[in-house]
Amino acid sequence: MSDIFNKLLILRTPGIGPAKYNALVQKFGTPADIVAVLNPSDQLRDTVSTEMARAAEQHIYYISDTDELYPRALRATKNHPPVITVRGNLELLQRDMVSIVGTRHATAAGMEFVADIAHAFASHDTAVVSGMAIGTDTAAHLGALRCANGAGTIAVLAGGVDYIWPIENESLYWDIVSRGAVISEMPVGFTPVANNFVMRNRIVAGLSSRLILGEADLKSGSMTTARFAHELNREIWAIPSHPSDLRAIGPNSLIRDGVAKLCMGASDFFAAPKKDINMKKNSKKFDTENSLIDAIGTIPVSESVLAEIVKKSISEIKSELVVLELGGLVRRVDGGYVRA
């Protein structure tokens, strides 16, 4: 009887989670010894056998905390999952990781900002971890996947590793399986309930040495992840936003309270790439000759607001905005223009 089978028999027993599992190990020793004491029913044995067969059919792997492939940072956390399931590239589990989380209702500017940071980390051989929710999580995964030869991305799921949720991210799920990894501590085929997402968040925090928080309401799953990261003494960074936006309360409060460092972009972690000399000349020219660039930041600004700021008519600034776009200095997004 395999060691994984015994461990799953214990973990699939009602009322036994990581903490109880560890207590049983301390009291009785090996998984085989614990199974002998628990004497699981034939029905539970059949359930676990069926689960393992289903996993094998879908190329899903079980990784125990005694395996070399088990993520180092997660293993070091108290009451970590004794067994996780993985679908995708197992080698990613051994890479350096950064966790990036935030609200499902992120702004376009916020998601692009997160995607750029995720891309930078993937480009620097660091896998990006998130929870595959829509919004910020999706932006983090997609940003990492933009890097064709990067470190990839890891999605932590609240349900079984084969349970795709939200369904809107089905194509993203398969992209991650193909070029990254999807992991879970839940049984294969398991449909999650509310509490499972909190359990998922603790794994997101535990996998990495650093957490970056994007836009987030004060009472949100992302803030729960940040709390877990703080309890685990992880390095926390938060991306600020306008105080009047409820999505700014989470990160802004962490910065204010000294829990998180202020994140201004990928340059906080990596040296900025060298720009083309002609682009530098263009940038200098536009900065000195066009006051529009000074009025545009990471939050979308409409043409009417820009016209009011620079004291020009909308028709006057339209041609200038086109020049700035062609120069790669600004981008048009929903709601107006942002810096490129």
Side-chain angles (χ1 to χ4, degrees):
M1 188 178 296
S2 73
D3 192 50
I4 285 292
F5 183 75
N6 281 329
K7 289 181 179 181
L8 292 181
L9 281 176
I10 300 167
L11 291 167
R12 302 306 184 242
T13 299
I16 298 181
K20 181 67 172 178
Y21 176 93
N22 289 334
L24 289 171
V25 169
Q26 289 294 321
K27 185 175 182 179
F28 298 108
T30 68
D33 292 333
I34 299 171
V35 168
V37 172
L38 292 177
N39 190 26
S41 66
D42 290 340
Q43 182 180 0
L44 180 58
R45 291 176 183 273
D46 289 343
T47 298
V48 171
S49 294
T50 300
E51 178 191 338
M52 293 184 70
R54 182 175 181 176
E57 290 173 359
Q58 300 181 79
H59 303 289
I60 294 169
Y61 301 92
Y62 293 94
I63 304 296
S64 166
D65 61 0
T66 56
D67 295 335
E68 290 186 2
L69 282 176
Y70 195 92
R72 295 182 297 272
L74 186 61
R75 183 192 282 121
T77 64
K78 183 180 180 180
N79 293 328
H80 56 264
V83 176
I84 57 174
T85 52
V86 185
R87 195 176 201 180
N89 183 2
L90 297 179
E91 293 181 2
L92 258 65
L93 302 181
Q94 292 300 293
R95 289 186 180 271
D96 290 334
M97 303 180 197
V98 59
S99 296
I100 305 179
V101 298
T103 181
R104 290 171 171 79
H105 310 292
T107 62
M111 288 190 289
E112 187 58 34
F113 193 85
V114 161
D116 288 342
I117 293 175
H119 179 271
F121 272 100
S123 301
H124 286 79
D125 208 31
T126 301
V128 175
V129 177
S130 200
M132 214 182 81
I134 59 175
T136 304
D137 289 13
T138 294
H141 291 305
L142 290 174
L145 291 173
R146 283 181 192 170
C147 185
N149 298 312
T153 186
I154 297 173
V156 185
L157 303 189
V161 74
D162 58 335
Y163 184 83
I164 302 174
W165 184 261
I167 195 62
E168 293 92 337
N169 274 348
E170 182 174 8
S171 62
L172 174 61
Y173 172 90
W174 290 113
D175 282 344
I176 296 173
V177 169
S178 174
R179 300 172 53 197
V182 180
I183 74 173
S184 175
E185 67 174 316
M186 294 294 113
V188 174
F190 180 80
T191 300
V193 295
N195 187 56
N196 297 125
F197 289 91
V198 177
M199 298 168 67
R200 180 273 308 270
N201 292 344
R202 98 183 190 285
I203 297 178
V204 171
L207 280 168
S208 308
S209 60
R210 177 186 289 133
L211 174 89
I212 300 175
L213 178 68
E215 296 165 312
D217 302 337
L218 193 58
K219 296 180 179 179
S220 64
S222 300
M223 288 295 286
T224 300
T225 307
R227 189 183 76 245
F228 284 134
H230 182 59
E231 292 172 352
L232 293 170
N233 293 316
R234 300 305 197 238
E235 185 180 274
I236 303 175
W237 292 73
I239 302 168
S241 193
H242 197 283
S244 65
D245 190 334
L246 292 176
R247 291 164 292 198
I249 297 178
N252 288 5
S253 66
L254 293 185
I255 296 169
R256 179 198 62 199
D257 297 339
V259 174
K261 298 179 182 180
L262 173 65
C263 179
M264 298 291 285
S267 60
D268 288 329
F269 313 101
F270 311 106
K274 294 182 178 180
K275 294 185 178 181
D276 181 83
I277 294 176
N278 291 327
M279 181 61 75
K280 287 183 178 180
K281 290 180 179 178
N282 287 339
S283 178
K284 184 175 181 181
K285 177 183 177 183
F286 286 129
D287 279 339
T288 56
E289 295 183 2
N290 198 321
S291 58
L292 272 176
I293 193 67
D294 294 324
I296 299 174
T298 58
I299 302 300
V301 185
S302 67
E303 290 178 351
S304 61
V305 172
L306 286 171
E308 184 177 343
I309 291 174
V310 300
K311 309 299 182 187
K312 293 183 179 181
S313 67
I314 293 179
S315 59
E316 285 179 306
I317 69 169
K318 278 184 179 291
S319 59
E320 295 177 1
L321 286 169
V322 170
V323 174
L324 291 174
E325 265 195 286
L326 291 175
L329 298 175
V330 302
R331 287 186 299 108
R332 175 186 280 277
V333 298
D334 292 341
Y337 289 84
V338 295
R339 284 225 189 189

